[in-house]
Amino acid sequence: MNSQTLALPAAAPVRLPPRPGYWGMVGGRLRRDPVTVVFCLLMLAIVLAAVFAPLISPFDPYKESIIFRLKPFGYRGHPLGTDELGRDILARILYGGRSALLMGVGPVVFAGLVGGSLGVLAGYAGGWVGTLVMRTMDVFYAFPSVLLAVAISGAMGGGMLNGMIALALVFIPAVCRVAETATTQVRGLDFVEAARATGAGHLMIVRHHLLGNVLAPVLVYASSLVSVSILLASGLSFLGLGVRPPVPDWGLMLSTLRQAIYVQPWVCAVPGAAIFVTSMCFNLVSDGLRSAMDVRLR
Amino acid sequence: MTGAAPLAELDDLRVQFGAGPDAVQAVRGVSLHVMPGEVLCLLGESGSGKSVSMRALLRLLPPQARVTGGVQVEGQEVGRLSGRALRALRGGTAAMVFQEPMTALDPVYTVGQQIAESVQQHRGGTRAAARARALEVLDLVRVPDAARRLDAYPHELSGGLRQRVVIAMALACRPRLLLADEPTTALDATVQIQILVLLRGLQRELGMGMVLVTHDLGVAAEVSDRVAVMYAGQIVEQGPVRDVLRRPVHPYTRGLLASVVRADGVEAPGIPGSPPDLRRPPPGCAFAARCPAAVGACSAAVPAEQKVGPGRTARCVRVGESVAA
């Protein structure tokens, strides 16, 4: 019985019950979480509205009107009023979502990839590699994030692409630090040594055990950065460093409408509300995703 | 036993952590061997170097550890293995069971995935074959309802079941040498004995050699063929389990045996004092300062290992007297 017990059976494969599947479980949990579902749909609506802005927009976002400036909600077919140059607010909000989403998601994805890899590398390698990476990050960390974004995009000369690069550079150290901390915690656990003791190489350990455990905190942190990124991008546009007028952008709109706050307070609040709702969507959806993806929660 | 080649062998192993005057000499010249099909128990208190010695067999020590001396598994010098051969050794020829089943399993993968991972690593083959093999080993370690447990995450299992899974992972690729680092310490008392019986049974059934690290005399008495008692980085006494536990030769072993909690309520005397600082180990016998039988010669030089019977050695200058006594 002894040597046969452990040998692989040549014939008669063992019948195994169907596996529920990881993503099936995540999907099932999400369906039972109404808040996440609602905000997921809202986020989808915002994304679709931005993508299909030319199809659904009632007006041309660039068309100015000397007569109908700063009109209230519902004035002559302008559901959200008009801005200081008589342009339709709804149209500009719809078009402005494009740059807002791009500036919100783009830098975070980039920073997540670069910062996450650097952090895992620093955490796993440790020693002088880890010190080199982390101290370099600390240099970036020493500046307030807004100031750093302004400085970098200012030095590179404004514009949307430069703004995105500046924001990515601001986020890399933060993501890197989260990834490094998570990696250091996981690296010392027995299962990493157990993996080594069963013959796993460095690549296998990093790819399988570290990423599996580090991905969740990095993903959650990065998704919460999306709203920060939208806000910072709006700030850059506000200062004239991000999107250039007359291109519609929420931050830029907020900045120019600010002067009219005593004339049309509700109209001025619209771009701010758009930024707020979008950020909140990303925050709540990331929160819901985290709970749904954590296998340790039931 | 004579004539057969040992499965694993340590020859004057020395391990030092750090450098300079504050370097900790965790292991100071350990020589031992394990024969195929034999259970060797490394017995000692924490910090005596038993885990470090065992980890050296798989070269699992952290990079800052300086290892000298010979480490052989199945005739291969472990220190000189290339990356690929080392990975084949780890998990293939020799596998390890960890102390803490809570942390020895990756929380984000099901137990089936974790076992299958190591199977595919060593044997290749399809995912389905590795999964089938995972189910087999779960059955082998007597996990009830194994097919269902295959898709369970570690947190869904009890401590005893988790430790069975850890053992299954170690056995998945049919190792010939099983290393177990305090495999029952983290478990409930009732589960401990089940796991021990299981380990002993599997070891016999599969004909593996096994090194068991423990500080628990009861565990050693239960499962081992031979014991090696470690103190301050050295083996102070070694021999067949019955002889060593019934007629201990070294004063430290005697002290250990006297420290066992007794059922009749008599308070165990314990050993006065504490182990030496391994940054500055004493020049002589490391136990001399705590030894009730110490003489002047004890502190002069480290006592050599002396034969005190068939397959039995001890490091004590007064060995002759105590055997006679």
Side-chain angles (χ1 to χ4, degrees):
Chain A
M1 121 165 223
N2 51 11
S3 68
Q4 292 307 310
T5 333
L6 272 170
L8 270 173
V14 190
R15 281 200 177 275
L16 296 171
R19 223 179 111 48
Y22 176 70
W23 292 109
M25 178 201 75
V26 172
R29 281 176 176 179
L30 280 181
R31 273 194 293 281
R32 273 175 274 122
D33 180 1
V35 175
T36 308
V37 172
V38 166
F39 280 91
C40 226
L41 291 175
L42 187 55
M43 196 165 91
L44 195 69
I46 293 170
V47 172
L48 289 178
V51 171
F52 295 109
L55 297 178
I56 52 176
S57 172
F59 291 93
D60 177 357
Y62 296 102
K63 187 167 184 309
E64 301 170 7
S65 162
I66 293 294
I67 325 162
F68 303 132
R69 288 182 299 168
L70 290 171
K71 294 300 176 197
F73 289 174
Y75 183 83
R76 287 212 177 184
H78 295 288
L80 294 176
T82 59
D83 71 1
E84 76 288 347
L85 294 174
R87 296 173 293 197
D88 182 58
I89 294 279
L90 178 62
R92 289 186 70 76
I93 289 287
L94 289 173
Y95 278 91
R98 298 176 150 191
S99 67
L101 291 173
L102 209 59
M103 298 279 285
V105 177
V108 171
V109 170
F110 185 71
L113 291 177
V114 176
S117 323
L118 278 175
V120 170
L121 173 77
Y124 185 65
W128 66 268
V129 179
T131 311
L132 182 73
V133 172
M134 293 321 289
R135 293 300 84 79
T136 312
M137 292 300 149
D138 284 348
V139 172
F140 281 88
Y141 234 120
F143 300 99
S145 57
V146 179
L147 205 64
L148 187 63
V150 169
I152 296 172
S153 65
M156 291 193 303
M160 195 150 150
L161 185 66
N162 286 348
M164 283 171 72
I165 294 172
L167 289 177
L169 285 175
V170 168
F171 294 142
I172 286 173
V175 176
C176 181
R177 186 171 277 188
V178 170
E180 195 252 0
T181 312
T183 308
T184 323
Q185 277 169 2
V186 174
R187 186 190 59 174
L189 294 180
D190 278 353
F191 64 79
V192 174
E193 203 192 352
R196 202 169 286 137
T198 53
H202 290 303
L203 191 69
M204 182 75 174
I205 289 174
V206 168
R207 214 182 52 201
H208 205 68
H209 295 285
L210 290 185
L211 280 190
N213 283 281
V214 169
L215 208 58
V218 169
L219 211 61
V220 171
Y221 182 68
S223 56
S224 75
L225 280 181
V226 169
S227 51
V228 178
S229 184
I230 292 177
L231 292 173
L232 278 179
S234 305
L236 286 183
S237 308
F238 182 94
L239 294 170
L241 286 170
V243 178
R244 297 270 169 76
V247 175
D249 175 82
W250 295 347
L252 210 57
M253 290 166 74
L254 200 61
S255 144
T256 48
L257 283 171
R258 156 185 65 119
Q259 288 144 3
I261 192 124
Y262 295 113
V263 186
Q264 287 294 353
W266 290 107
V267 172
C268 297
V270 170
I275 295 171
F276 170 72
V277 171
T278 310
S279 325
M280 195 170 66
C281 282
F282 275 100
N283 276 346
L284 288 171
V285 168
S286 80
D287 221 38
L289 264 184
R290 189 209 41 172
S291 344
M293 286 171 73
D294 193 341
V295 292
R296 277 159 287 194
L297 301 173
R298 293 203 190 208
Chain B
M1 206 182 274
T2 43
L7 185 58
E9 203 170 2
L10 295 178
D11 182 26
D12 196 28
L13 177 77
R14 286 167 194 277
V15 181
Q16 181 177 323
F17 290 99
D22 274 345
V24 174
Q25 301 174 24
V27 177
R28 306 186 295 141
V30 162
S31 301
L32 54 79
H33 66 273
V34 196
M35 304 302 289
E38 178 192 51
V39 180
L40 171 70
C41 192
L42 286 181
L43 195 62
E45 55 197 286
S46 26
S48 59
K50 50 196 193 318
S51 281
V52 174
S53 305
M54 192 186 69
R55 263 148 227 255
L57 282 169
L58 283 184
R59 218 163 99 191
L60 274 177
L61 296 169
Q64 63 266 30
R66 297 198 196 169
V67 183
T68 56
V71 181
Q72 290 198 338
V73 175
E74 287 202 321
Q76 292 175 299
E77 187 60 46
V78 174
R80 270 191 248 123
L81 288 180
S82 65
R84 183 184 294 256
L86 185 65
R87 289 202 295 278
L89 166 77
R90 293 170 173 174
T93 310
M96 192 156 157
V97 174
F98 286 79
Q99 171 176 357
E100 195 55 78
M102 273 310 264
T103 55
L105 295 171
D106 192 333
V108 302
Y109 297 103
T110 62
V111 300
Q113 288 170 330
Q114 299 191 44
I115 301 172
E117 174 198 326
S118 134
V119 172
Q120 276 192 297
Q121 180 107 27
H122 288 279
R123 300 187 167 183
T126 63
R127 199 173 281 205
R131 195 169 144 75
R133 173 72 187 152
L135 181 62
E136 260 179 36
V137 278
L138 282 186
D139 270 328
L140 185 76
V141 297
R142 326 256 195 300
V143 168
D145 203 0
R148 197 165 56 82
R149 295 282 162 49
L150 204 54
D151 293 321
Y153 286 95
H155 70 91
E156 295 168 329
L157 304 177
S158 68
L161 273 185
R162 253 183 246 147
Q163 192 61 305
R164 281 171 198 263
V165 171
V166 171
I167 294 171
M169 254 173 95
L171 296 180
C173 299
R174 287 221 64 173
R176 290 177 290 281
L177 175 65
L178 189 65
L179 308 174
D181 187 0
E182 307 232 10
T184 58
T185 309
L187 303 174
D188 288 345
T190 47
V191 182
Q192 285 191 356
I193 192 75
Q194 294 173 12
I195 294 288
L196 277 184
V197 168
L198 175 74
L199 269 178
R200 180 68 174 178
L202 289 170
Q203 177 266 329
R204 285 213 178 108
E205 190 177 322
L206 308 172
M208 294 179 293
M210 184 159 125
V211 179
L212 183 78
V213 163
T214 185
H215 60 255
D216 189 331
L217 282 167
V219 170
E222 183 76 36
V223 297
S224 55
D225 297 312
R226 281 193 305 125
V227 287
V229 181
M230 288 193 69
Y231 183 76
Q234 292 173 328
I235 293 180
V236 292
E237 182 164 3
Q238 188 169 187
V241 62
R242 244 174 237 162
D243 299 349
V244 172
L245 296 188
R246 277 199 192 144
R247 281 174 283 115
V249 171
H250 197 281
Y252 176 66
T253 318
R254 273 191 234 139
L256 262 191
L257 285 166
S259 314
V260 176
V261 177
R262 287 167 55 166
D264 54 16
V266 179
E267 197 173 326
I271 309 172
S274 52
D277 183 356
L278 287 180
R279 281 172 297 189
R280 288 168 201 81
C285 172
F287 190 61
R290 302 168 77 182
C291 183
V295 293
C298 292
S299 317
V302 176
E305 266 188 326
Q306 301 182 48
K307 252 183 116 59
V308 288
R312 250 190 111 176
T313 58
R315 273 184 196 272
C316 181
V317 289
R318 300 185 62 183
V319 121
E321 307 163 38
S322 44
V323 167

